[in-house]
Amino acid sequence: MREFWFRAALRVALILVCVLIGLAADALAPALALACALLLAGSLRDQYEIGRFDRWLNSTSDAELPDGAGQWEFLFAKLARRERNARQQREDLRSRLERMREASRAMPDGTLIMSRDELIEWLNPMAEEHLGLDGRRDIAMPILNLVRQPEFAEYLQSGDYGEPLSMPSPRQPGRTLQLRVVAFGDDQKLLLTRDITQLEKLETMRRDFVANVSHEMKTPLTVIHGFLETLEDALPELPQEQALSFIRMAQQQSVRLQRLVDDLLTLSALETDTPTPEEPVDMRNLLDIVLVETRALSSGRHTVTLDVDAAPGALLGCARDLRSALGNLASNAVRYTPDGGSVKLAWRVVDGCGEYSVTDNGIGIDAQHIPRLTERFYRVDRGRSRETGGTGLGLAIVKHVLERHQATLQIDSQPGQGSRFTVRFPARRTLPAL
């Protein structure tokens, strides 16, 4: 600004000098004429620069500010610097806004902005999917005209957004959404949506698991407590044989309880993210151990056989977990096969893949139960499972062990004709004999 006033003062001084020279030379008229000419030229120059500036202001393009001349040069330069700064700020804001939009589009949760009149101003793709909306068609539409669920309308109009709303998805049957409204700005509202279907399933599984564990533990504890109470109150009067019978039954229940705790600990360890230690496991040795344990469980009530390739080779995995999984399949066959039946264990290497199977001629399984057999505490026949000492966790353990070894389980069964459980291990885990 000082430069502007300096140039203006210089122009006035130049005119005054011309007038003074004219007075000194007794030629006032030519001096005044020269001064007027200078004033006119300066005025025309100013009008020209003002016109250029006005045309730039009225321009709709992003044209650069023109260069000025004379005293306008520094003003135009200053305006140009300000314009460049403003343009840079606009670019920064545009870039940040675009990044925010990209981030909102990538969010796993839905985001929707409403005006004070509950008109849709903006929404991301996840909100479109959750609420069945179209981001181009539904902008400026009242959201209550598009999401017509009474609980949502009541929640939105209540003004009490302290707790989120859970409701069925309006466009995806079987899905559950959690909605939360956040007020902000000039009476605007931010609607956040989240698919909690899986979370609800996990919560249901957790509740069922706790209830099942409590029930499974309550029965043996009740039996043990009852026998101990009876022995405490009537031990002197009880015949020795009856007292020993009570002790044996209490001991059986304690063993059952211990087995349940062991299976729960095994299942918990398998469900963690701890890497499974892997080593070559000699299949001949492992299958011999499973065979001995299966025959011990049968106590001679079944014919238990083992059919193995001449060179069974080895399997890359965790020996402890594999023993648990293969043994659970064999023990289940014994438990659900009547006395006098047969249980056949087999190991083959087919097309480079290891295949373990357990075949029995027991009671069999109805097709409707097969998809749920690996659920924790799921039993086809609860009474028989408890009678045979099952915990309801065996096949759940098998499922997790096989998942850790990238193996698959196939179940073929017919009621009254027996069952066949087949496990297939990938070729990369099947090794030559040790």
Side-chain angles (χ1 to χ4, degrees), residues 165-167 176-178 194-201:
L165 168 71
S166 295
M167 71 174 199
T176 303
L177 298 179
Q178 183 184 80
R194 173 175 294 180
D195 187 338
I196 60 170
T197 307
Q198 191 61 28
L199 290 176
E200 283 205 333
K201 287 181 179 178

Side-chain angles (χ1 to χ4, degrees), residues 8-35:
L10 186 62
R11 182 185 295 179
V12 172
L14 182 60
I15 294 171
L16 289 174
V17 168
C18 290
V19 173
L20 290 174
I21 292 173
L23 288 173
D26 197 17
L28 182 59
L32 289 175
L34 179 60

